[in-house]
């Protein structure tokens, strides 16, 4: 801990970060702070200290194998068109090896890498259900496909909302109808049109993608409206 403070202390002070030690066996040092609302934000960087009972060392030594560097990184990704975001990545239990045969050849290089992550990568909230922050990765992964489809169909605004921590949705207008695309942990994307759930189960069972399912229902609406215009 003292070595971390010596090497990274100025950066921690610059970003107003505190070190926090967690873990019953292997200990992890995280770098975090709380905002004015009491929400905890954490850097994706962490150090992992091996269990001293296993290493037989009373203190952690950076030049041995008693300390490891966590390999987490983080990026902010837009979701929808109304200001919602998703934090891709975050702290990880993946370990970056330090040694002559690895990308980080020694602990000087490892601390340089750690400093870069602390300075460059956004802090990630440790809580869920925060305003304008999408929790589920499915929404994030589907957004590029939905964005492409929206451009094709002339849809300018795609909003995002949340029912509860386990259900989030996209909402958009297409040809006068309101479509809501609901994502939850245990179900594939559900499609609602003007509050009525549309049938999607058979399409998924036949191997259709979420984009194809939504396109099918857009096409159905197109046919209905175009048929109504025929003389």
């Amino acid at each position: 801990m003292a070595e971390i403070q010596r090497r990274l202390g100025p950066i921690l002070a610059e970003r107003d970060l505190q070190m926090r030690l967690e873990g019953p066996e292997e200990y992890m040092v995280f770098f975090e702070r709380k905002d004015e609302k009491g929400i905890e934000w954490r850097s994706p960087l962490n150090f992992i200290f091996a269990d001293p009972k296993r290493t037989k060392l009373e203190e952690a030594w950076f030049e041995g194998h008693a300390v490891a560097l966590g390999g987490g990184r983080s990026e902010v990704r837009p979701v929808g068109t109304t200001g919602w975001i998703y934090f891709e990545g975050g702290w990880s239990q993946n370990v970056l090896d330090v040694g002559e045969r690895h990308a980080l050849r020694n602990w000087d290089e490892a601390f340089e890498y750690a400093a870069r992550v602390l300075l460059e990568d956004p802090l990630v909230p440790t809580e869920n259900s925060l305003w304008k922050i999408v929790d589920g990765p499915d929404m994030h992964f589907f957004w590029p496909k939905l964005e492409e489809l929206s451009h094709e169909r002339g849809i300018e605004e795609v909003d995002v909302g949340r029912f509860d921590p386990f259900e989030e949705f996209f909402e958009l207008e297409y040809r006068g109808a309101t479509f809501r695309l609901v994502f939850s942990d245990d179900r594939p994307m559900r499609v609602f049109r003007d509050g009525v759930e549309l049938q999607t189960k058979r399409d998924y069972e036949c191997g259709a993608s979420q984009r194809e399912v939504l396109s099918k229902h857009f096409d159905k609406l197109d046919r209905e409206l175009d048929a109504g215009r025929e003389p």
Side-chain angles (χ1 to χ4, degrees):
M1 294 281 284
E3 183 68 5
I4 296 174
Q5 182 62 44
R6 185 180 74 83
R7 299 256 201 160
L8 301 176
I11 294 173
L12 299 181
E14 178 182 338
R15 298 213 64 188
D16 193 25
L17 294 172
Q18 304 294 322
M19 286 191 289
R20 179 174 175 179
L21 185 65
E22 292 183 3
E25 295 179 358
E26 289 189 330
Y27 296 95
M28 294 188 182
V29 174
F30 296 103
F31 305 90
E32 59 194 30
R33 68 164 178 251
K34 289 187 177 181
D35 63 19
E36 63 279 1
K37 296 181 180 179
I39 297 170
E40 186 177 82
W41 296 78
R42 178 175 285 179
S43 169
L45 179 80
N46 67 302
F47 286 82
I48 304 167
F49 290 75
D51 182 357
K53 295 179 182 177
R54 179 167 58 83
T55 60
K56 307 301 181 183
L57 297 173
E58 294 183 1
E59 296 182 2
W61 294 91
F62 281 89
E63 296 304 328
H65 298 284
V67 185
L69 187 63
R73 300 298 302 262
S74 63
E75 292 184 72
V76 175
R77 302 291 191 186
V79 179
T81 64
T82 57
W84 285 71
I85 61 171
Y86 176 78
F87 285 93
E88 184 175 18
W91 73 271
S92 170
Q93 289 184 319
N94 293 331
V95 174
L96 295 177
D97 293 318
V98 179
E100 293 182 358
R101 298 182 180 181
H102 302 291
L104 301 175
R105 293 172 296 177
N106 53 57
W107 276 100
D108 287 333
E109 292 187 2
F111 273 106
E112 289 176 4
Y113 171 86
R116 188 163 63 251
V117 175
L118 286 171
L119 287 170
E120 295 177 357
D121 286 25
L123 304 180
V124 179
T126 60
E127 302 177 25
N128 292 325
S129 301
L130 299 178
W131 176 241
K132 290 286 188 177
I133 299 177
V134 170
D135 292 329
D138 291 344
M139 295 270 289
H140 157 62
F141 291 132
F142 184 59
W143 169 238
K145 301 177 181 64
L146 179 57
E147 184 179 30
E148 180 182 59
L149 182 59
S150 296
H151 289 160
E152 293 174 3
R153 300 282 181 154
I155 299 168
E156 295 182 357
E157 182 174 297
V158 180
D159 199 5
V160 175
R162 176 185 295 120
F163 294 125
D164 59 46
F166 305 102
E167 283 196 325
E168 298 173 316
F169 60 87
F170 290 110
E171 189 167 275
L172 54 93
E173 300 286 327
Y174 178 64
R175 299 195 68 177
T178 299
F179 283 83
R180 179 172 283 184
L181 319 175
V182 179
F183 292 77
S184 56
D185 287 342
D186 57 349
R187 300 181 64 178
M189 181 187 78
R190 290 175 288 156
V191 180
F192 293 77
R193 175 177 150 187
D194 294 330
V196 178
E197 184 168 6
L198 306 177
Q199 294 298 318
T200 57
K201 182 178 180 181
R202 181 173 296 180
D203 294 323
Y204 289 133
E205 289 176 347
C206 292
S209 68
Q210 292 173 333
R211 188 188 194 282
E212 290 170 336
V213 167
L214 183 57
S215 291
K216 173 184 175 180
H217 290 294
F218 284 166
D219 291 341
K220 184 172 185 265
L221 177 60
D222 288 340
R223 290 194 297 271
E224 291 173 1
L225 294 176
D226 293 343
R229 292 194 182 124
E230 293 179 0

